[in-house]
Amino acid sequence: MADAPQLERDVFTENYPLTLFDPARVWESLNAVTLNGDILAGNGLFTNPDENPAGPAFDILRTRISQAMAERGWRRIGITSPTHGCGKSFTAANLALSLARRPGSRTVLIDLDLRRPNLHSLLGLTPEGALRDFLDGSQPLESMFVRVGRTLAIGLNAEAASDAGDILHAPESKRAFEAMDVQLDPEIVVIDLPPALVSDDVIAMGDKIDAVVIVVDGTRSTARDIRACEALFEGRIPVMGVVLNRAQDRGLGRLRYGKG
């Protein structure tokens, strides 16, 4: 990971040396929210793996991802898809909820599909503001992120941004992520990214994430879509795996988990 950010960043609420930041106190300072189980269930999300047939699959996914990332010293995983509607936000949210069930852990979930923010709707939460204000340093982390229990922090977005690519390319956004690492010290950051093939937004995140997982829809995605994503990421961002959502046998024999 990159070196710690410099003190000119406005994301810090006080001009203290970074070594004096206590992540435990920062977590406690986040606005605590409670997730509504009925809303989660209505959107296919769950906090208890026994409540949903997909629960064990997400627990397996979290274990394989967390182990692979720990082995490589990675922290930030992006969840993307070839196009809209493949279930990437659903996957990112359930993965983060599964990771957050580990006692004593710290997981961060961020909605970086800036053009079409949707995580707040899936989770039944009201965003604190425009996430671009955190990314450009004009608002501190504490004013933008909320906390679920003691193991999950969530950065939601209240406003769509048509200039998302410009925001994500800006050096300020990289420093915002570095500042977040210092302040929250998460084990894993799950980032709900835009679809990979519709803009340059995901590639703009290349210096801010360690790897991606590609979510494909078994009812609409094609092998060509997957190859296009892999070609896009080759030499830029490691692809940790491909997750098949709404599985049907449509000849997508190349789907697998564990490429890295």
Side-chain angles (χ1 to χ4, degrees), residues 30-214:
L30 301 181
N31 182 33
V33 299
T34 301
L35 299 178
N36 184 305
D38 291 336
I39 293 177
L40 294 183
N43 291 323
L45 307 182
F46 48 90
T47 57
N48 184 342
D50 296 330
E51 297 173 350
N52 192 297
F58 275 104
D59 282 352
I60 292 172
L61 182 64
R62 74 166 179 191
T63 299
R64 298 180 71 172
I65 285 179
S66 59
Q67 289 178 348
M69 293 183 71
E71 289 171 359
R72 294 164 173 81
W74 291 349
R75 179 177 294 199
R76 305 176 197 150
I77 182 76
I79 311 298
T80 188
S81 58
T83 56
H84 290 290
C86 294
K88 64 176 183 59
S89 298
F90 159 81
T91 301
N94 270 327
L95 174 60
L97 290 170
S98 181
L99 287 165
R101 287 198 299 272
R102 301 171 301 157
S105 64
R106 287 185 183 141
T107 299
V108 174
L109 172 64
I110 305 177
D111 189 351
L112 274 194
D113 192 347
L114 297 180
R115 299 177 194 268
R116 299 177 63 172
N118 187 51
L119 266 181
H120 61 282
S121 298
L122 284 177
L123 295 168
L125 297 174
T126 300
E128 297 292 309
L131 199 60
R132 68 183 301 153
D133 293 337
F134 165 69
L135 294 173
D136 68 16
S138 60
Q139 288 294 328
L141 179 147
E142 293 92 335
S143 71
M144 304 298 299
F145 284 65
V146 297
R147 173 173 56 84
V148 178
R150 296 182 178 276
T151 59
L152 178 62
I154 307 175
L156 300 173
N157 183 26
E159 298 180 12
S162 60
D163 58 341
D166 297 339
I167 296 171
L168 298 176
H169 272 292
E172 288 81 5
S173 64
K174 181 177 181 180
R175 291 198 292 268
F177 272 91
E178 293 169 349
M180 180 194 68
D181 287 347
V182 172
Q183 291 180 281
L184 294 179
D185 190 27
E187 294 174 42
I188 295 180
V189 180
V190 179
I191 304 170
D192 182 18
L193 293 171
L197 302 181
V198 301
S199 69
D200 71 334
D201 296 358
V202 176
I203 296 302
M205 287 292 296
D207 60 344
K208 306 168 195 67
I209 56 177
D210 296 306
V212 295
V213 167
I214 303 171

Side-chain angles (χ1 to χ4, degrees), residues 179 188 217 234:
I188 295 180
D217 184 339
E234 186 173 3

